[in-house]
Amino acid sequence: MAYSYTLTEEQELLLQSLREWYAQNLDEQKIKGYYEAGGVPEDVQKSYVDAGFGMIGLPEEVGGTEADKLTQLLLTEELSRLSGASLPMASNILAIHDITEFGNEDQIKMVMEYYKEHGKPPFSLAFSEPGAGSDNMNMSAVVRTGADGKMILSGQKTWVSNGGKTDYALVIAKDEDPSRSNNKMSWWLIPMDRKGVKFEGLEKIGNKIMPFGDLFLDDVEVFESDLVGERGKGFFQLMKNFEFERLVCVASMLGEAQAALEDAAKYTLQRSTFEKPIASYQLIQEKLTDMEIALWNTRNQLYECAWRMDNGLDIRLQSSLLKRYGAMSCHKVADEAVQIFGGLGFTTETRVGRIMLDMRGLRIGAGTDEIMVYIAGRMIPKKYANA
Ligand SMILES: Cc1cc2nc3c(=O)[nH]c(=O)nc-3n(C[C@H](O)[C@H](O)[C@H](O)COP(=O)(O)OP(=O)(O)OC[C@H]3O[C@@H](n4cnc5c(N)ncnc54)[C@H](O)[C@@H]3O)c2cc1C
């Protein structure tokens, strides 16, 4: 089987219709406003779903349009390139997948109806804790069953994206025993207005279009009907979707970094110093060259990972190498775009500064640069042990 990603006519048409949807619904002024307001209005998100883009990649039985991984990632990349923004529509599908894959019939029905009506998932993903980000096993949120049979959830989650804007939170907690050695944990879909649930926002330095915060769970009663997936299998469920999450994260970074490169490249022709366009200086040409190489490599890696997934091949190693390389490269590209713009790059008159801050956050979210080494670094010796 050889790796190839020539886009099909269908994929080209889909991207063209996305560009048309974008031109009709969004522009830089609106995007800038969403960063200032800390969110994208519901009608815009709904329009994305109504136009069919938000349904691509979801199973047919829930009303989705089946598509391969590459098609889904192409959409994410292009939406991020057009907007130069971390639009929630580019990643909403990840949360929806969690429910269509592991939820029961009632949960899937509720989530899909909400998604179609509001254009966004009804819940945030609340996995990280103050003492457990990279190290999920260290989490201490726990659901304990009392002598009366009641199940009580207690703990704290943090950095929960969109947590203050959703009706539910999808919370992962240990079963019965919070100790590190207990690897049994489960997912619970908890309404935000249930007694004992409280959310408090945190001030972010970037990626302000998607605010995050702390979720306090103070003796919250949970019910069997809140359970998502199998009891005790929460860790496995969490790990299962991490690989595709990394791909979606890099696709969105790639699109944004590409937008920064395009802006910067155009600017080098417009801006003159010492009576010459800055595009004529070798130091600037070197930056553009390295930026182009970094995005070319990231794109090739991303599409190959998609191709591997679409062909049923393992991507544990490749997805961690991609997240490591892609996140650092996209951040570097956006940072160099700021440099090329000079003082203007450090203002909100251009979008490269906001892109650079978005990229910075995504070197931490969806698994840090270092954790990718922790994952890949242990696999590489085994890969070559018998070579
Ligand atoms: C923009 C953004 C959005 C987020 N959204 C969400 C969300 O919606 N829901 C959610 O649950 N969480 C979310 N997070 C949290 C994110 O998943 C965690 O911040 C991330 O997993 C890192 O965990 P930590 O912050 O606890 O850092 P730590 O795990 O404490 O790491 C601290 C430092 O040590 C390094 N380190 C840790 N372990 C190792 C190791 N073994 N080897 C080498 N270095 C190591 C890390 O790379 C890092 O540099 C978000 C974070 C960001 C920045």
Side-chain angles (χ1 to χ4, degrees):
M1 231 177 339
Y3 158 55
S4 147
Y5 68 81
T6 309
L7 299 198
T8 63
E9 205 180 308
E10 272 178 340
Q11 286 167 334
E12 297 280 12
L13 284 171
L14 183 68
L15 294 180
Q16 187 48 38
S17 58
L18 177 68
R19 285 175 207 123
E20 285 159 18
W21 174 86
Y22 186 85
Q24 280 162 16
N25 290 279
L26 292 173
D27 56 38
E28 175 55 17
Q29 243 355 75
K30 288 183 183 164
I31 300 280
K32 212 171 160 185
Y34 302 158
Y35 272 79
E36 279 158 19
V40 178
E42 223 174 83
D43 62 323
V44 176
Q45 300 204 55
K46 181 168 160 43
S47 154
Y48 186 78
V49 173
D50 289 347
F53 303 117
M55 303 303 282
I56 288 177
L58 291 174
E60 240 163 51
E61 58 269 24
V62 303
T65 310
E66 303 270 358
D68 56 15
K69 299 291 184 216
L70 179 60
T71 304
Q72 296 172 54
L73 295 165
L74 287 170
L75 269 182
T76 297
E77 179 191 348
E78 186 61 5
L79 182 64
S80 309
R81 185 188 73 82
L82 290 164
S83 58
S86 298
L87 292 175
M89 295 92 89
S91 54
N92 277 345
I93 199 173
L94 275 176
I96 302 286
H97 267 307
D98 282 338
I99 297 297
T100 57
E101 199 170 344
F102 299 115
N104 61 35
E105 224 173 277
D106 290 342
Q107 289 162 342
I108 294 174
K109 188 166 178 288
M110 183 279 280
V111 165
M112 288 310 298
E113 280 173 3
Y114 188 102
Y115 185 51
K116 285 177 199 159
E117 196 183 331
H118 301 268
K120 58 181 191 177
F123 59 92
S124 59
L125 298 172
F127 298 153
S128 304
E129 296 186 6
S134 310
D135 184 8
N136 304 112
M137 281 304 291
N138 209 41
M139 75 171 62
S140 58
V142 62
V143 170
R144 286 194 177 92
T145 312
D148 55 2
K150 281 189 177 175
M151 294 185 288
I152 304 296
L153 164 65
S154 53
Q156 183 191 339
K157 297 291 168 181
T158 191
W159 308 306
V160 180
S161 299
N162 284 329
K165 292 173 176 281
T166 53
D167 295 344
Y168 294 80
L170 184 60
V171 175
I172 186 167
K174 292 218 172 167
D175 296 347
E176 309 301 339
D177 169 15
S179 65
R180 187 177 171 85
S181 57
N182 177 17
N183 62 8
K184 299 257 183 299
M185 43 186 98
S186 309
W187 290 11
W188 305 90
L189 192 58
I190 315 284
M192 294 295 282
D193 59 3
R194 190 168 289 172
K195 191 163 172 276
V197 178
K198 194 171 88 179
F199 183 83
E200 275 177 22
L202 290 164
E203 191 66 34
K204 263 178 156 178
I205 59 163
N207 193 235
K208 292 194 176 209
I209 199 164
M210 218 184 280
F212 64 22
D214 286 321
L215 181 68
F216 299 95
L217 303 153
D218 190 11
D219 292 340
V220 180
E221 186 170 2
V222 297
F223 305 91
E224 276 304 326
S225 56
D226 301 328
L227 180 69
V228 174
E230 261 184 83
R231 195 88 204 266
K233 293 280 167 64
F235 192 69
F236 160 78
Q237 293 171 198
L238 192 64
M239 293 301 141
K240 188 147 186 265
N241 283 345
F242 267 173
E243 285 159 11
F244 190 51
E245 184 190 12
R246 283 176 208 145
L247 270 53
V248 172
C249 179
V250 172
S252 131
M253 296 185 83
L254 177 62
E256 278 196 70
Q258 178 72 36
L261 168 58
E262 290 176 16
D263 286 3
K266 283 180 202 145
Y267 187 69
T268 62
L269 296 170
Q270 294 155 7
R271 179 71 169 175
S272 286
T273 62
F274 308 99
E275 299 176 333
K276 280 199 251 172
I278 59 170
S280 65
Y281 296 117
Q282 278 196 337
L283 279 175
I284 297 291
Q285 291 167 2
E286 185 188 42
K287 284 189 198 304
L288 292 176
T289 303
D290 290 345
M291 289 156 85
E292 185 82 2
I293 292 171
L295 296 193
W296 183 24
N297 284 340
T298 302
R299 185 169 292 109
N300 274 327
Q301 289 177 26
L302 174 70
Y303 292 3
E304 185 180 339
C305 281
W307 173 84
R308 290 183 72 91
M309 272 195 106
D310 286 328
N311 286 282
L313 300 171
D314 188 87
I315 59 157
R316 271 172 307 165
L317 174 60
Q318 289 79 2
S319 66
S320 49
L321 297 176
L322 168 74
K323 175 68 173 52
R324 161 86 181 175
Y325 178 82
M328 291 171 77
S329 300
C330 290
H331 176 240
K332 172 89 174 137
V333 165
D335 191 43
E336 289 289 48
V338 171
Q339 194 68 19
I340 288 174
F341 271 96
L344 200 53
F346 209 62
T347 71
T348 53
E349 296 299 303
T350 64
R351 56 182 187 168
V352 291
R354 119 182 144 220
I355 294 175
M356 186 263 289
L357 283 170
D358 281 0
M359 301 296 96
R360 191 65 193 84
L362 291 175
R363 286 180 55 191
I364 299 169
T368 66
D369 297 345
E370 295 78 14
I371 285 302
M372 294 307 124
V373 175
Y374 184 66
I375 297 167
R378 287 174 297 166
M379 275 188 262
I380 294 167
K382 288 182 198 149
K383 178 180 171 185
Y384 294 112
N386 301 313

